Amino acid sequence: MKDDLIALIEESIRLEWLVSELYTLFHKDFPQDAEFWWTLAVEEKNHAALIQSGKQYFQPVDRFPQELLSPGIQAVRKANIELKSLISLYMDKPPSRGEAFHAALELERSAGELHFQQFMSKASHSKLDEIFKELNRGDKDHSERIRLYMERQGFNRQACES
């Protein structure tokens, strides 16, 4: 069980780093949105660091808040594989601006990212939950922020899907 949790934590950290890598790519490809993508990329790195800190300090004493992670390692592994593929694809052939927004929305609603956001939004059940939330205080609800930014830029979800 302990090894399963460690593997899930490591895959979750990898997911956050890969999301950051994708957003950094968008930062380079879309100068008109560079600040927006850069902010999200940095926040994803912060998420990875937060999970890494939990692994380092709380997991060894069986205090890691497992609700922070997706319950299934296979879903996170699958998301990581798909994300690596998407990054490779976009490095070779950058997406349109609408495709980038759509990819980001879908990603933020994926297993690992959605679970992270849900944990940050729900009521805390322990002092440890509160500590994690405080450390992450401003870096949340990426899906909603992406959607609102898209709308301000004249994009809507349906336009991105076509």
Side-chain angles (χ1 to χ4, degrees), residues 47 50 67-68 108 113-125 129-130 132-134 136-145:
H47 297 171
L50 183 65
E67 303 84 29
L68 181 64
E108 291 296 339
E113 287 295 298
L114 185 58
H115 216 74
F116 186 93
Q117 296 301 329
Q118 287 172 341
F119 172 82
M120 292 299 167
S121 300
K122 72 177 187 155
S124 298
H125 298 293
D129 287 1
E130 280 301 316
F132 271 83
K133 288 179 183 182
E134 181 59 28
N136 190 62
R137 66 183 159 263
D139 301 351
K140 58 184 175 182
D141 207 358
H142 287 180
S143 179
E144 181 66 10
R145 286 168 50 202

Side-chain angles (χ1 to χ4, degrees), residues 2 5 11 16-17 27 35 42 78 121 125 133 136:
K2 184 177 179 179
L5 177 59
E11 287 294 327
E16 299 296 340
W17 276 108
H27 161 81
E35 184 178 340
V42 169
K78 182 179 182 226
S121 300
H125 298 293
K133 288 179 183 182
N136 190 62

Side-chain angles (χ1 to χ4, degrees), residues 6 12 15 25 28 43-44 48 52 60-62 70 87 93 96 112 121 127 143 153 162:
I6 291 171
S12 297
L15 176 68
L25 190 62
K28 293 174 187 170
E43 289 176 5
E44 294 296 343
Q52 180 64 42
V61 293
D62 293 324
S70 174
I87 291 167
K93 183 181 182 265
S96 70
S121 300
K127 185 66 176 165
S143 179
Q153 299 301 309
S162 54

Side-chain angles (χ1 to χ4, degrees), residues 15 19 22-23 26 37 40 44 75 78-80 82-83 86 90 97-115 117 142-147 150 156-162:
L15 176 68
V19 174
L22 181 67
Y23 292 168
F26 292 165
W37 291 119
L40 291 179
E44 294 296 343
K78 182 179 182 226
N80 284 340
E82 290 171 358
L83 195 46
L86 192 61
Y90 287 166
R97 196 168 169 221
E99 288 169 332
F101 286 134
H102 175 68
L105 270 179
E106 291 302 311
L107 182 58
E108 291 296 339
R109 293 177 178 155
S110 71
E113 287 295 298
L114 185 58
H115 216 74
Q117 296 301 329
H142 287 180
S143 179
E144 181 66 10
R145 286 168 50 202
I146 292 167
R147 189 187 61 72
M150 286 171 54
N156 61 41
R157 184 169 169 85
Q158 290 76 28
C160 292
E161 292 175 348
S162 54

Side-chain angles (χ1 to χ4, degrees), residues 64-88:
F64 188 92
Q66 293 185 38
E67 303 84 29
L68 181 64
L69 307 173
S70 174
I73 192 168
Q74 293 308 323
V76 179
R77 282 186 177 144
K78 182 179 182 226
N80 284 340
I81 290 167
E82 290 171 358
L83 195 46
K84 283 180 190 178
S85 265
L86 192 61
I87 291 167
S88 261

